[in-house]
């Protein structure tokens, strides 16, 4: 039986609740209320301001209006312990009804339901790379976000030295996530000063995207409490590696059997698994804006940045957009290597699942997988990714398939929001342009 909110809060002895309305950029918008009030809101409905869907990441409104409250729902099955107080809980909420059709989480949940109707359980997990700076919000502003001090500046990939020196900090991050029921498969250093990676433990259904969203929000909060700043930007500097947000996805049938696996097949992939890949390959270029929704994301999706630039696949091929991992049949899965660390987890998972189910329904056979170095190859026009957010938004806007899969309400709102974001960028004059052209042209 579904758990009710009061029971969920009583189980963890919560006296207060942080209600999180997740905005389109994946930010946890927090309201702290008493447990009693949370229960009442769970029963009567939770009114929340619609402005979340009419302003950008800088909280600049791009549509005039009264910004009325819209009905929202609290989800009792999302209740977790809040990691920074003894008797407090977290509970996610989201808009409902017609207005809720534009919500990334609602879109993802609807696709989960479609997978269930097709006889599948969805298992998935994100892994995030991120940089840590020895900076606070105040020092970032004082320095105008330039010449920042890196945390662990001598860091090396998989560095014992960094882990030995800062082990207590990393263990604290792990403990913070465990409090919320988020498992980390590992925490290790990555390429660059103060760079780390955290692969999350896989989860079933929408839980994986919830875990990913909470991980990013609460990792930033955790490091901030230690006077540090964590960054999940795709590309911080031409001299630093890009930050990925890879997504692992597999399907299981009602008996718990892995759907993508066929040990007798040459590549270990079942027919269903190949069709899932076929759909993802076909739709990836026109749906790219969903998982790459910032201007900065496209600074990583360029040649030479250790990231895909076109739709391709291969078994155990880390240069591919889709890497098939088939070490053991029960863990056979696809690794979607396109999303950056700044991705909205609900939209990255919705893209992968929606396109994959489309491939299964339409029995789309992919081209042969390859072990070539895709980073060094020249993609065809059909497989090449849009070069920037403006082009990606235009491709998504032209996609009838996108409206069929994700709903016209969502696509039309999302495209408009991305077009506004790109227009803001186009008006900006960068430091690179000034240094290159001032006094020359």
């Amino acid at each position: 039986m579904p758990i009710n909110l009061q029971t969920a809060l009583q189980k963890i002895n919560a006296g207060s609740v942080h209600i999180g309305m997740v905005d389109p950029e994946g930010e946890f918008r927090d309201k702290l209320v008493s447990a009693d009030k949370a229960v009442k809101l769970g029963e009567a409905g939770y009114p929340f301001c619609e402005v979340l869907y009419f302003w950008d990441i800088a909280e600049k409104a791009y549509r005039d209006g009264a910004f009325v409250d819209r009905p929202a729902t609290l989800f009792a099955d999302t209740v977790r312990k809040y990691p920074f107080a003894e008797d407090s809980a977290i509970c996610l909420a989201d808009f409902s009804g017609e207005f809720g059709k534009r919500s990334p989480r609602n879109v993802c949940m609807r696709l989960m339901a479609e997978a269930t109707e097709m006889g599948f359980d969805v298992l998935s997990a994100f892994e995030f790379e991120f940089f840590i700076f020895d900076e606070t919000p105040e020092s970032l502003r004082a320095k105008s976000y330039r010449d920042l001090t890196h945390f662990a500046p001598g860091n090396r990939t998989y560095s014992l030295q960094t882990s030995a020196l800062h082990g207590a900090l990393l263990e604290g991050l792990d403990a913070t996530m465990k409090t919320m029921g988020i498992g980390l498969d590992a925490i290790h250093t990555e390429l660059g000063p103060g760079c780390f990676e955290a692969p999350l433990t896989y989860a079933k259904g929408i839980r994986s995207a919830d875990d990913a969203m909470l991980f990013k929000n609460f990792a930033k909060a955790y490091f901030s409490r230690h006077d540090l700043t964590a960054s999940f930007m795709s590309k911080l500097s031409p001299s630093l590696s890009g930050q990925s947000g890879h997504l692992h996805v597999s399907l299981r049938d009602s008996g718990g059997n892995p759907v993508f696996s066929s040990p007798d097949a040459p590549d270990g992939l079942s027919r269903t698994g190949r069709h899932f890949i076929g759909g993802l390959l076909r739709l990836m270029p026109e749906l790219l804006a969903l998982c790459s929704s910032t201007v900065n994301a496209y600074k990583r999706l360029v040649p030479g940045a250790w990231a895909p630039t076109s739709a391709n696949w291969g078994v155990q091929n880390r240069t591919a957009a889709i890497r098939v991992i088939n070490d053991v049949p029960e863990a056979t899965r696809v690794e979607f290597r396109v999303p950056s660390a700044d991705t909205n987890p609900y939209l990255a998972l919705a893209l992968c699942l929606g396109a994959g189910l489309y491939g299964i329904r339409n029995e789309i056979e992919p081209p042969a997988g390859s072990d070539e170095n895709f980073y060094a190859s020249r993609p065809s026009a059909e497989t090449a990714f849009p070069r920037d957010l403006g082009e990606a938004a235009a491709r998504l806007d032209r996609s009838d398939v996108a409206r069929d899969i994700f709903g016209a309400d969502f696509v039309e709102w999302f495209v408009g929001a991305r077009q506004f974001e790109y227009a803001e960028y186009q008006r900006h004059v960068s430091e690179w342009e000034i240094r290159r052209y001032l006094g020359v042209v």
Side-chain angles (χ1 to χ4, degrees), residues 90-415:
I90 297 165
C91 182
L92 299 186
D94 206 348
F95 290 111
S96 54
E98 286 297 310
F99 193 79
K101 289 182 178 179
R102 67 193 68 202
S103 153
R105 189 177 190 273
N106 285 341
V107 168
C108 195
M109 287 182 65
R110 182 172 58 76
L111 289 167
M112 291 289 174
E114 290 182 15
T116 300
E117 291 173 3
M118 294 172 68
F120 304 130
D121 286 330
V122 182
L123 302 179
S124 60
F126 286 83
E127 52 185 43
F128 292 111
E129 296 171 347
F130 54 97
F131 278 99
I132 302 176
F133 292 93
D134 195 0
E135 303 283 357
T136 65
E138 293 77 19
S139 70
L140 288 173
R141 291 182 176 88
K143 293 181 176 182
S144 298
Y145 300 90
R146 288 286 185 265
D147 301 319
L148 304 181
T149 301
H150 284 273
F151 177 80
N155 178 61
R156 292 166 60 83
T157 308
Y158 303 120
S159 172
L160 169 63
Q161 305 308 316
T162 301
S163 296
L165 187 59
H166 303 292
L169 183 72
L170 300 180
E171 288 171 2
L173 175 64
D174 185 47
T176 296
M177 298 304 153
K178 281 181 178 175
T179 299
M180 296 183 288
I182 299 172
L184 303 183
D185 273 353
I187 307 174
H188 64 84
T189 60
E190 258 290 349
L191 182 63
C195 187
F196 294 84
E197 180 174 358
L200 276 60
T201 304
Y202 75 88
K204 179 180 174 181
I206 199 68
R207 173 90 184 199
S208 166
D210 285 345
D211 284 353
M213 179 276 298
L214 290 170
F215 172 80
K216 292 207 300 181
N217 278 271
F218 281 87
K220 287 185 284 187
Y222 169 79
F223 287 114
S224 182
R225 287 165 65 90
H226 289 81
D227 292 326
L228 301 168
T229 294
S231 171
F232 290 84
M233 276 183 65
S234 294
K235 191 75 171 174
L236 280 160
S237 164
S239 62
L240 296 172
S241 61
Q243 302 306 285
S244 67
H246 297 163
L247 168 61
H248 297 247
V249 178
S250 66
L251 302 180
R252 292 185 184 174
D253 63 22
S254 58
N257 303 302
V259 171
F260 287 168
S261 175
S262 180
D264 297 330
D267 53 14
L269 271 177
S270 68
R271 187 167 176 266
T272 300
R274 293 180 65 82
H275 290 162
F276 187 96
I277 292 170
L280 187 51
L281 286 173
R282 179 176 294 185
L283 298 182
M284 197 187 302
E286 66 187 89
L287 304 182
L288 185 67
L290 293 177
C291 73
S292 302
S293 59
T294 68
V295 167
N296 187 247
Y298 295 83
K299 304 299 174 71
R300 170 179 166 267
L301 300 176
V302 295
W306 289 15
T309 58
S310 62
N312 45 52
W313 77 285
V315 176
Q316 300 291 3
N317 186 345
R318 281 187 167 85
T319 71
I322 304 171
R323 172 191 174 213
V324 173
I325 302 173
N326 61 353
D327 300 316
V328 293
E330 58 269 21
T332 297
R333 61 194 185 276
V334 299
E335 181 187 17
F336 185 34
R337 295 176 62 82
V338 177
S340 305
D342 67 359
T343 196
N344 181 322
Y346 300 112
L347 293 183
L349 184 52
L351 186 165
C352 191
L353 183 57
L357 295 180
Y358 176 86
I360 293 172
R361 288 193 186 97
N362 293 280
E363 300 184 347
I364 298 174
E365 188 67 22
S370 174
D371 61 0
E372 69 177 290
N373 179 4
F374 286 116
Y375 294 161
S377 65
R378 183 167 185 162
S380 66
E382 293 77 20
T383 63
F385 289 165
R387 293 166 295 179
D388 55 42
L389 182 59
E391 185 180 336
R395 288 283 299 273
L396 183 63
D397 193 30
R398 295 195 299 268
S399 174
D400 292 332
V401 174
R403 285 172 169 76
D404 290 340
I405 294 174
F406 307 107
D409 291 322
F410 167 78
V411 172
E412 288 167 14
W413 160 78
F414 184 76
V415 166

Side-chain angles (χ1 to χ4, degrees), residues 5-23:
L5 186 56
Q6 185 172 28
T7 301
L9 295 174
Q10 288 174 344
K11 280 188 175 182
I12 58 175
N13 297 314
S16 61
V17 183
H18 290 263
I19 300 176
M21 179 71 78
V22 185
D23 75 7

Side-chain angles (χ1 to χ4, degrees), residues 22-33:
V22 185
D23 75 7
E25 307 296 337
E27 184 175 352
F28 186 103
R29 298 283 183 167
D30 180 272
K31 279 189 180 182
L32 178 61
V33 302

Side-chain angles (χ1 to χ4, degrees), residues 54-86:
F54 300 120
W55 66 17
D56 67 3
I57 196 169
E59 299 185 347
K60 176 182 178 180
Y62 54 82
R63 196 198 81 170
D64 292 330
F67 300 133
V68 300
D69 285 343
R70 299 280 187 170
T73 300
L74 272 66
F75 297 99
D77 59 351
T78 67
V79 168
R80 307 169 186 230
K81 288 186 177 180
Y82 179 74
F84 305 133
E86 286 294 326

